Amino acid sequence: MSLAQQFRTGDTPLPDIIILTHKLARAYDMGGEVVRALRGVSLQIRRNEYVAIMGPSGSGKSTLMNLIGCLDTPTGGEYWLNGQKVSDLGDDALARIRNKEIGFVFQTFNLLPRATALHNVELPLIYAGLGAKERRAQAAQALERVGLGDRMEHRPNELSGGQRQRVAIARALVNDPSILLADEPTGNLDSATSGEIMEVFGALHRQGQTVVMVTHEHDIAAHAARVVTLRDGLVATDQRQAA
Amino acid sequence: MTQLFEGIGIALGSLRGNKARAALTILGIAIGVMVVMIIASMISGINRSVQHTFESIAPRTFLVWRWFQAGVNISDGSEETSPWRRNPAISGEEADRIALLPSVRYVTRRDESSARVEFGDLALESVNISGLSSQWVEVNGGDVYPGRTFTRLEDLANSRVVVINKKLEAQLFRGRDPIGHTIKIAGVPFEVIGVYTPAPSLFSGASPPFAGIPHGAFEKYVPFWKGWMKLAIAPVEDVPQQQAIDEVTALLRSMRSLKPAQENTFSIITQDKLLDTWQQVTGVFFLVMIALSSIGLMVGGVGVVAIMMISVTERTREIGVRKALGATKREILWQFLVEAATLTLVGGAIGMLVGGTVAWVLSKATPIPAYVPIWSIVVALAASVLTGIGFGLYPANRAARLDPVEALRYE
Ligand SMILES: Nc1ncnc2c1ncn2[C@@H]1O[C@H](COP(=O)(O)OP(=O)(O)OP(=O)(O)O)[C@@H](O)[C@H]1O
Ligand SMILES: [Mg+2]
């Protein structure tokens, strides 16, 4: 925490702080009863950091990831991404940011079942408005990067779990996003395959990619340089560790 | 553009995946489009040949009938719905007096019936027989070859001579030369003097057997429904048609002692009027076409809503993923609209193929000269796409408004 900027409402984050949340809150109105999933999370993540988010079930990890990923909007506090205050942007602007700045990796892969690996990886480029040729080339390159250059025409059901997650990682990377967000990316994989996927994340981080990853497992979190723990919608601990 | 192609690809994929559901939708649209195609092709085909027919008749000739109703009317036989009962029949005397008018070149009479026709051992029932004045070929168009039509003298003398058409020639004589042979019409012998070929017209390819005989002989020998004689009148050259019409009208009114306030008790029909009437009839066809095809399109439209709602629900997660990857609301909306339109366009294309085939079969197998006009293809395809977009709007909007977090969590 020593390196963090002392941030107050009205300030602008320092240039190398890629993610800054300030007293970020998210409450759900459940028919009169309010569930406060996040109760004021202040967090700063620098470019090229590798952060693991841990915490018990229901502590708000996924809620935080959705806010950081601009899939959801906070009910309180501020969120700055890459020098831009996104907590009060509209739907279309958020869609643009998801397309350009953010790469998602999900626990359940979330590939389109009927599309080939290559086409799945092309999707973000379609929404970025790229031409077919360029799209194909970039998607193929992203698949090569995760070691699936020889599986481009396979459909998800013709791939193993680990391979599917690699396709998902290639899809997350293809737009060259500012941050890579992964919510329990190894949750559906056996430990050997999990190890391989963590190798991929490690390599990406070494190439300069900023990575934020939610996990339940300490040996997965051990790959990260920094571990943030949530409890009841608040940051409980925030520690740097030797990688 | 890429998204358009992608949308069409997805649509075809989901069509393959949901065959039963898609079938209902496609069927509805296909029926709607098929009806448009068939009726449009019939109207256009008939229109074409009607125009052709009218052009082939001497254009200045006009008709005097006992009764002619512009448009379509339905009769139950009562006085109000059978207004022709108020009109007296056209008489022979009236015809003779009209022929004497200075603006009239000639008048031809026509009465129609059907009768048994025999030649040797062969007998045909219900052959169309017309009693005609000698200039009838000039009025009707077409020509007589081989042979000749009856002369004015034969007409006045009630001679038992007959002109037959190709169809009757083929059925009675089977390739032999008919000229000079005697056939029996309603049991009375007539000498065949000519073979008539009508002007190319509406049903010319399939016109039924026909025999034309002098009008006097017709009245004398053939049983017919009296009181429906029709006159065709050709004005003298250089006299405007309207002048002849005025003279004929004035003559008939005075012969029938009509007061100025009374309406004509006869009908005068020009080709313009016939064309008008024809156009009114086609108007009715059009209404039927629009009604039937809108029902089909409605059924298809409801199918579109159903199949698209299912598609949206089944693919909730996919929508979430697409949103997470940067798709805007508009892009999702567009994707599902393209999908709905593709669905209906497939239906439209099928309906067009079936409808086009039916039109083609009609034109080959029946006298209806159906042909498919380009505009009907455009209208049919546009209608099917618009149906898809119109009915797809609701489900597509549902998809576009899905919350990405909820959609991604959907099981
Ligand atoms: N859409 C929602 N409506 C109401 N409450 C919600 C909703 N989403 C999350 N919550 C609540 O917010 C809290 C945090 O949920 P969240 O999914 O962030 O937990 P998590 O830390 O990711 O848990 P897990 O480890 O089980 O994935 C929970 O109490 C949950 O019930
Ligand atoms: Mg979670």
Side-chain angles (χ1 to χ4, degrees):
Chain A
M1 289 297 277
S2 54
L3 292 170
Q5 177 188 0
Q6 281 300 317
F7 189 87
R8 274 182 234 104
T9 305
D11 288 355
T12 308
L14 295 174
D16 71 327
I17 294 183
I18 201 156
I19 290 171
L20 185 149
T21 70
H22 181 66
K23 295 181 179 164
L24 198 65
R26 179 67 166 96
Y28 295 99
D29 192 348
M30 302 289 287
E33 197 196 339
V34 177
V35 178
R36 294 171 66 192
L38 290 184
R39 300 192 291 157
V41 171
S42 296
L43 199 61
Q44 293 177 24
I45 297 174
R46 280 165 199 285
R47 203 173 295 281
N48 195 23
E49 270 198 286
Y50 188 172
V51 182
I53 296 177
M54 298 193 71
S57 186
S59 57
K61 303 182 296 294
S62 293
T63 306
L64 180 61
M65 286 298 261
N66 290 338
L67 288 174
I68 292 176
C70 295
L71 283 171
D72 196 8
T73 44
T75 50
E78 285 175 42
Y79 171 34
W80 293 74
L81 173 65
N82 223 355
Q84 189 182 13
K85 190 174 177 187
V86 295
S87 42
D88 38 35
L89 288 179
D91 279 342
D92 281 0
L94 289 178
R96 288 293 110 211
I97 288 178
R98 289 198 291 272
N99 186 242
K100 300 262 180 271
E101 308 275 358
I102 292 160
F104 280 104
V105 178
F106 303 94
Q107 179 177 356
T108 51
F109 320 135
N110 277 331
L111 300 174
L112 302 193
R114 277 196 276 258
T116 62
L118 189 69
H119 186 77
N120 266 292
V121 177
E122 273 184 75
L123 279 175
L125 301 175
I126 289 177
Y127 295 117
L130 254 69
K133 236 182 186 165
E134 218 173 326
R135 246 166 38 207
R136 200 142 295 213
Q138 288 193 22
Q141 203 184 356
L143 279 168
E144 306 261 1
R145 248 176 109 185
V146 296
L148 284 179
D150 54 344
R151 294 284 189 280
M152 297 199 197
E153 295 305 325
H154 287 56
R155 286 169 207 284
N157 62 6
E158 298 159 351
L159 296 170
S160 72
Q163 287 171 331
R164 287 183 215 183
Q165 196 59 301
R166 284 171 198 241
V167 174
I169 294 171
R171 181 179 67 184
L173 290 175
V174 75
N175 257 358
D176 199 13
S178 308
I179 48 171
L180 185 61
L181 300 179
D183 194 345
E184 303 196 38
T186 59
N188 276 19
L189 301 175
D190 62 45
S191 57
T193 320
S194 298
E196 288 172 24
I197 294 298
M198 292 324 292
E199 290 292 319
V200 175
F201 277 110
L204 291 172
H205 173 238
R206 282 191 296 279
Q207 290 162 27
Q209 183 69 52
T210 312
V211 180
V212 180
M213 178 175 63
V214 168
T215 182
H216 273 118
E217 292 162 74
H218 284 281
D219 50 340
I220 296 292
H223 291 267
R226 178 178 165 196
V227 178
V228 174
T229 319
L230 294 187
R231 202 174 300 274
D232 292 331
L234 288 169
V235 176
T237 65
D238 186 348
Q239 294 165 332
R240 269 158 225 291
Q241 58 185 19
Chain B
M1 208 54 197
T2 357
Q3 284 175 48
L4 180 65
F5 287 132
E6 208 210 355
I8 293 171
I10 291 168
L12 294 176
S14 77
L15 279 184
R16 274 192 293 268
N18 306 303
K19 286 193 187 73
R21 278 181 239 135
L24 172 77
T25 307
I26 289 177
L27 188 71
I29 303 288
I31 289 172
V33 167
M34 198 181 76
V35 169
V36 173
M37 293 296 288
I38 292 174
I39 299 189
S41 66
M42 282 169 58
I43 294 176
S44 309
I46 294 175
N47 249 341
R48 253 191 175 183
S49 38
V50 163
Q51 226 119 26
H52 202 90
T53 308
F54 289 154
E55 280 158 12
S56 71
I57 298 177
R60 293 174 2 104
T61 299
F62 59 94
L63 309 170
V64 177
W65 287 7
R66 176 177 179 184
W67 169 258
F68 178 80
Q69 165 83 62
V72 182
N73 70 309
I74 296 157
S75 168
D76 62 6
S78 71
E79 182 83 15
E80 296 83 76
T81 56
S82 308
W84 56 82
R85 293 179 174 208
R86 287 195 290 263
N87 287 4
I90 311 283
S91 70
E93 198 200 338
E94 285 170 331
D96 291 341
R97 293 274 299 275
I98 288 171
L100 298 175
L101 287 172
S103 62
V104 170
R105 183 161 157 227
Y106 51 69
V107 176
T108 66
R109 309 175 187 201
R110 183 182 200 115
D111 260 301
E112 284 159 347
S113 184
S114 67
R116 183 181 163 93
V117 173
E118 295 158 85
F119 173 67
D121 300 339
L122 280 170
L124 297 173
E125 300 294 337
S126 306
V127 176
N128 290 335
I129 313 291
S130 289
L132 302 156
S133 305
S134 55
Q135 302 95 335
W136 69 281
V137 177
E138 288 165 69
V139 174
N140 282 43
D143 67 321
V144 177
Y145 184 85
R148 59 175 182 87
T149 185
F150 35 91
T151 61
R152 206 168 139 69
L153 272 175
E154 285 168 323
D155 183 15
L156 293 172
N158 301 342
S159 300
R160 294 202 304 258
V161 290
V162 59
V163 174
I164 61 178
N165 75 345
K166 291 242 184 238
K167 188 69 163 259
L168 187 58
E169 179 198 8
Q171 291 188 4
L172 283 183
F173 294 96
R174 307 193 168 162
R176 277 181 291 166
D177 181 11
I179 309 294
H181 286 285
T182 299
I183 62 173
K184 280 185 179 172
I185 298 173
V188 180
F190 280 77
E191 187 194 340
V192 178
I193 57 167
V195 177
Y196 175 63
T197 309
S201 77
L202 184 46
F203 302 140
S204 59
S207 51
F210 157 88
I213 59 180
H215 193 263
F218 179 88
E219 284 184 313
K220 202 162 157 188
Y221 302 117
V222 181
F224 69 107
W225 196 267
K226 293 187 172 56
W228 288 96
M229 186 169 73
K230 302 168 188 168
L231 303 180
I233 296 162
V236 170
E237 272 174 69
D238 307 333
V239 170
Q241 186 193 44
Q242 192 55 48
Q243 187 184 327
I245 290 173
D246 291 344
E247 284 185 20
V248 169
T249 308
L251 175 68
L252 287 175
R253 286 186 67 90
S254 86
M255 285 181 77
R256 293 179 173 201
S257 319
L258 296 177
K259 297 193 187 77
Q262 283 178 292
E263 284 180 33
N264 291 344
T265 56
F266 51 88
S267 298
I268 291 194
I269 303 127
T270 59
Q271 286 180 32
D272 291 349
K273 201 161 163 186
L274 276 175
L275 266 178
D276 275 359
T277 307
W278 171 250
Q279 270 150 14
Q280 284 182 44
V281 172
T282 38
V284 173
F285 262 108
F286 262 110
L287 285 183
V288 171
M289 166 176 100
I290 287 165
L292 287 179
S293 52
S294 0
I295 291 170
L297 292 177
M298 282 291 166
V299 171
V302 172
V304 169
V305 175
I307 196 171
M308 292 307 293
M309 285 310 281
I310 293 164
S311 177
V312 168
T313 308
E314 276 178 355
R315 281 152 59 202
T316 301
R317 231 168 207 277
E318 175 190 324
I319 295 161
V321 171
R322 287 177 182 272
K323 289 198 155 188
L325 300 180
T328 59
K329 278 184 179 175
R330 205 175 318 112
E331 284 163 331
I332 300 289
L333 185 81
W334 176 235
Q335 177 192 330
F336 281 90
L337 284 184
V338 168
E339 193 172 322
T342 304
L343 194 69
T344 52
L345 193 62
V346 170
I350 290 174
M352 225 174 60
L353 286 180
V354 176
T357 309
V358 169
W360 182 78
V361 170
L362 273 179
S363 70
K364 293 286 163 213
T366 73
I368 300 168
Y371 105 105
V372 178
I374 300 294
W375 65 260
S376 75
I377 294 177
V378 175
V379 166
L381 292 183
S384 46
V385 169
L386 285 180
T387 306
I389 291 175
F391 284 88
L393 213 50
Y394 175 72
N397 197 38
R398 278 271 290 248
R401 293 160 66 105
L402 280 175
D403 176 67
V405 176
E406 305 261 318
L408 279 168
R409 231 191 342 233
Y410 184 84
E411 296 295 330

